[in-house]
C-alpha cells in the first residue's frame, strides 16, 4: 500500500499564496495534485515524474509550480496569485506501473 500525508491547505485571500506538501510512504514514479470543486469533475492541476518532467493545467500555468524531493518522497505545489476559482479540495496523487493512489484531500479556499 501507499499512504499520503497532505498539508498546507487553508483559507487565503485572492492574490495570496499557499504551499501544499504531500509526503508518500514510499517512492513513486509520478506524483501530482488534482482538485475537485463541488459539482465539478476532479481535474489534474499538475504532475511531476521522478526525473522532473512536469505537466500543468492551462488554468494554473504561470501561477503554480510543482516540484519534488525524491529523497523525502515528497511533492510540493506552490500556489501563487490565487483566485476564487482555485477553491477546491486538492488531492495528492501517485501513479506507477498502472497503480493509482490518492490522498484524503486538503481544502483550499480563496475568498475575501
Amino acid at each position: 500500500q501507499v499512504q499520503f500525508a497532505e498539508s498546507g491547505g487553508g483559507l487565503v485571500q485572492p492574490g495570496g499564496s499557499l504551499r501544499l506538501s504531500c509526503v508518500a510512504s514510499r517512492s513513486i514514479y509520478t506524483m501530482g495534485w488534482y482538485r475537485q470543486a463541488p459539482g465539478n469533475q476532479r481535474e489534474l492541476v499538475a504532475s511531476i515524474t521522478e526525473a522532473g518532467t512536469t505537466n500543468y493545467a492551462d488554468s494554473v500555468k504561470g501561477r503554480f509550480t510543482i516540484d519534488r524531493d525524491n529523497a523525502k518522497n515528497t511533492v510540493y505545489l506552490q500556489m501563487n496569485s490565487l483566485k476564487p476559482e482555485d477553491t477546491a479540495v486538492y488531492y495528492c496523487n501517485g501513479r506507477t506501473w498502472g497503480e493509482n493512489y490518492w490522498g484524503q484531500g486538503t481544502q483550499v479556499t480563496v475568498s475575501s
Side-chain angles (χ1 to χ4, degrees):
Q1 69 280 6
V2 177
Q3 297 176 353
F4 296 119
E6 300 157 313
S7 62
L11 174 65
V12 65
Q13 294 183 345
S17 297
L18 287 173
R19 183 172 175 84
L20 304 183
S21 298
C22 174
V23 182
S25 59
R26 65 169 175 85
S27 64
I28 191 162
Y29 183 72
T30 301
M31 299 183 71
W33 294 91
Y34 286 69
R35 67 187 182 188
Q36 187 169 24
N40 291 349
Q41 295 261 27
R42 187 173 297 187
E43 64 177 356
L44 173 71
V45 178
S47 66
I48 185 168
T49 69
E50 287 184 334
T53 301
T54 58
N55 187 34
Y56 294 93
D58 287 342
S59 60
V60 306
K61 286 181 179 177
R63 299 189 297 122
F64 293 8
T65 302
I66 190 168
D67 59 12
R68 64 189 290 169
D69 185 336
N70 291 336
K72 297 179 179 179
N73 297 326
T74 302
V75 64
Y76 306 94
L77 185 68
Q78 179 67 46
M79 304 185 293
N80 298 325
S81 302
L82 282 161
K83 305 175 181 179
E85 304 90 87
D86 297 316
T87 296
V89 177
Y90 284 68
Y91 297 91
C92 187
N93 170 261
R95 297 177 183 270
T96 183
W97 293 289
E99 291 96 352
N100 189 31
Y101 308 102
W102 295 97
Q104 68 177 358
T106 183
Q107 178 71 47
V108 172
T109 302
V110 185
S111 176
S112 58

